[in-house]
Structures are given as structure tokens and as C-alpha cells.
Amino acid sequence: MARKKVALVGAGQIGGTMALVLAQKQLGDIVLVDVVEGVPQGKALDIMEGRLSLNSSAVLAGTNNYNDIAGSDVVIVTAGVPRKPGMTRDDLLDINYGIIEKVGTAIKNTAPNAFVIVVTNPLDAMVYAMQKVTGFATEKVVGMAGVLDSSRLACFVAMELGVAAEDVQAVVMGGHGPSMVSLYDFVSVGGIPLSQLMSKEKFDELSKRTAEAGTEIVNLLKTGSAFYSPGVSAVRMAEAYLLDKKSVLTCAVELKGQYGIKGLYCGVPVILGAGGVEKVIEVKMNDAEKAAFDKSVAEVKVNAEWVDKKVKG
Ligand code: APR
């Protein structure tokens, strides 16, 4: 069986993290692409030299040429600029749109069969732009945000209860911004509903921290935004696709009438497998949650309309 190929466009903090984790998991060979000369080549070689200890036979290459992503099964895009303290994700809209336009055109021309995962912020707008620029089937263009936001909430719940993070399941929906929606009834701890272990008041505190979790990291790092947890989250999505796992993950996908929304990307639970987004799962929310979700979607819509104007020139 031929080896799978994963292209990482953007060899910065998240790109480098993903390269290491993908190599360790041996999901396929890896190409790192960046506009900065030497960085993708250096990171690829650095990881290649560590393969003995990683127990990995993955082959990595670094390049400044988009043509080298040809034949990729998966392309994960982090190309762009990250936040600095005081910036919102929306502050990145203009500059990162220009980058997504270039990268999307390259993917369309050189890797037309790829499953594309966008990580660049502001996420919901950038994945929407990627689909418009490539014209790929919407099942094959997804955004990474909900996996990370849900993982952050699960982490805070685990820390609060003093239990294993891997035993906590959580769902955070909507846009990848301060209005994201954490769902109390959807958290379980080793299969036990959270309502039996934690008050709604406590949960609301953790949900607030989750919505601000990216900013918390930006303020600590000062020079950029989170990269380890975004990196592993995007790899989880790539793995679901490459191994046809039928994983239930919250991803930014195009809604086609589900949740009463049409033609907009935002975070909802889906089944990810070899077909890409194989199914959007429509969950029942209570009135307050649905109102919060609709508010979050309204914010996503503003940026999508901005992208629409750009795409039409
Ligand atoms: N093509 C390829 N790579 C590019 C391009 C381009 N047109 N433009 C910029 N890059 C590269 C940069 O050179 C840099 O190496 O993208 C990389 C981004 O890496 P970092 O600056 O380290 O940012 P990172 O922390 O990895 O975050 C990337 O993901 O979570 C989002 O908000 C975050 O938008 C940001 C993105």
C-alpha cells in the first residue's frame, strides 16, 4: 500500500508541532511548506534526525515550493499570522485572507483530491474562504476549532474534578471566538453526566474560561498564540480521515440547512471518516443554548459576508 502524504502549509509553531506528532503516529510522509527559506527544511530535517528515538519511518521534507504538495491526501493549513496580546482573532482577517487566497489557489492546482483542514484564524472565515477559493466539495474542506475548544473545556473540567482529562467528553459549538457555546448537558466524565458531579454555576465559570482560553495563552506567551493543543487537535482530525475512523468531532463545516443555517461555516458535531465530513449531527439544545448559538453564528456571518465581497473582487 502506498504511503499516505500529509502536507503542512505553514511551518511555524503549529506546523512544526503537527509534523512531530504526525511523524510519531506514522500516519504518512510529511511535507512542510513555508514562505520563509530554511525553516521548513530545517524542521523537516530536525524531525528526520529524531526518528530513531521516535520509532518512526515517516519521511519528512521541507520546501518553499507549493508544487511539492502534489498528491497529498491531506493538507493542513496554518499559513498566516498569529495573535499578539491585545489582538482579537478578527484583527487577523485582512492579512490572513490574502494568505489563504494564495494557498487555496495552490492547493486547487496541485492537490485537487486532498482533504483540507484549515487552522488559520479567524477560523470560521478562513475555512469559508478556503472552500470558496478551491471550489472543493464542502465535505473535503473543514476547519479545526471545535476539537480544540472542546478539549480545552474537557481539560478545565478534569482539573476541577481531579480526574483524567482523557475520561472527559465535552462539546463546544458555534464560532471560534468569545461567543462559542459550551454545553453543560453534553459533558460526561467516564460516562457519568457532569450534572451529577458539578454545579451549573461552576460549569459556567469553566465555560467562560474556555471561551477566553486562547487569549489566556496569548497573554502568557506574548509573542504568539497557542500551538501544542491546536496542533494535536488538527492531527486528530487528519487521523479520523486517513484511518476512516468515523470519529464524532466538533468541526467548522458548511451547514446546508441544519440548525436553520445555510451556506455558512461554523462549529457543529460531525462524523469524520474517509468521505471527509460524512454527516452533520443535529443536536438538541435548550432555549438559552440555542439563543447563544444563534448569536455566535450571527458573528460568524459578519466575517463570511466580508469574505464574500473579497472573493467576488
Ligand atoms: N504560505 C506558506 N506559509 C506562510 C505563508 C504563505 N503564503 N504566509 C505565512 N506563512 C507562514 C509563516 O512564515 C509562518 O512560518 O505561516 C507560518 C505561521 O506560523 P506561526 O507564525 O508560528 O503561527 P502559528 O502559531 O503556527 O499559527 C498559525 O493558526 O491558530 C492560528 O491564529 C493562528 O492564524 C494563526 C495560524
Side-chain angles (χ1 to χ4, degrees):
M1 199 171 74
R3 286 173 176 229
K4 299 287 185 188
K5 178 171 173 179
V6 180
L8 305 175
V9 184
Q13 296 281 53
I14 302 178
T17 301
M18 293 192 297
L20 177 64
V21 177
L22 284 163
Q24 193 160 27
K25 286 179 172 272
Q26 302 202 80
L27 288 172
D29 290 342
I30 300 155
V31 178
L32 280 152
V33 191
D34 205 288
V35 285
V36 181
E37 278 177 34
V39 168
Q41 292 85 350
K43 289 193 177 180
L45 185 59
D46 193 8
I47 296 172
M48 287 274 275
E49 291 167 359
R51 288 176 304 167
L52 179 58
S53 300
L54 280 177
N55 233 325
S56 172
S57 59
V59 174
L60 294 93
T63 176
N64 305 112
N65 187 345
Y66 290 130
N67 291 336
D68 294 331
I69 69 175
S72 293
D73 297 285
V74 174
V75 180
I76 310 180
V77 181
T78 59
V81 174
R83 283 196 284 168
K84 300 242 164 62
M87 292 172 86
T88 67
R89 293 182 182 93
D90 286 356
D91 291 335
L92 307 173
L93 191 57
D94 201 14
I95 175 158
N96 282 352
Y97 174 78
I99 293 171
I100 290 295
E101 203 177 25
K102 275 199 206 91
V103 172
T105 305
I107 295 173
K108 177 184 178 178
N109 294 333
T110 52
N113 298 315
F115 179 60
V116 183
I117 302 171
V118 178
V119 181
T120 306
N121 275 313
L123 190 271
D124 306 278
M126 293 303 105
V127 65
Y128 180 80
M130 178 62 77
Q131 196 281 324
K132 297 279 171 231
V133 172
T134 57
F136 287 3
T138 54
E139 293 77 20
K140 300 288 283 289
V141 182
V142 298
M144 190 298 292
V147 173
L148 170 61
D149 298 327
S150 306
S151 173
R152 282 172 164 160
L153 176 60
C155 163
F156 299 143
V157 168
M159 282 162 63
E160 182 62 31
L161 295 176
V163 302
E166 70 203 53
D167 286 341
V168 182
Q169 295 282 342
V171 180
V172 178
M173 294 175 53
H176 184 52
S179 62
M180 64 180 73
V181 186
S182 296
L183 298 161
Y184 182 51
D185 291 339
F186 289 43
V187 182
S188 68
V189 181
I192 303 160
L194 185 65
S195 55
Q196 300 198 14
L197 303 169
M198 185 186 288
S199 70
K200 175 74 166 51
E201 288 67 37
K202 185 68 199 171
F203 173 78
D204 286 344
E205 272 174 40
L206 304 185
S207 138
K208 195 159 175 282
R209 185 172 179 193
T210 301
E212 294 299 328
T215 305
E216 187 178 355
I217 303 274
V218 170
N219 290 339
L220 287 167
L221 296 181
K222 295 184 183 71
T223 52
S225 47
F227 53 97
Y228 294 121
S229 55
V232 294
S233 301
V235 167
R236 192 168 169 207
M237 290 167 63
E239 190 171 18
Y241 175 78
L242 289 167
L243 303 184
D244 190 21
K245 288 181 77 163
K246 318 286 185 202
S247 299
V248 178
L249 298 170
T250 304
C251 307
V253 300
E254 191 189 85
L255 296 177
K256 302 175 193 296
Q258 299 96 338
Y259 298 95
I261 299 156
K262 251 196 200 127
L264 201 63
Y265 268 82
C266 76
V268 295
V270 303
I271 298 175
L272 274 195
V277 179
E278 297 188 349
K279 187 178 180 1
V280 170
I281 302 175
E282 271 194 276
V283 299
K284 285 197 189 75
M285 291 178 259
N286 66 33
D287 290 349
E289 289 162 348
K290 182 69 169 67
F293 178 76
D294 288 343
K295 182 169 169 281
S296 184
V297 170
E299 286 174 17
V300 168
K301 197 166 177 214
V302 174
N303 282 348
E305 283 168 358
W306 183 94
V307 169
D308 274 336
K309 282 197 199 112
K310 282 283 192 183
V311 170
K312 284 179 193 134

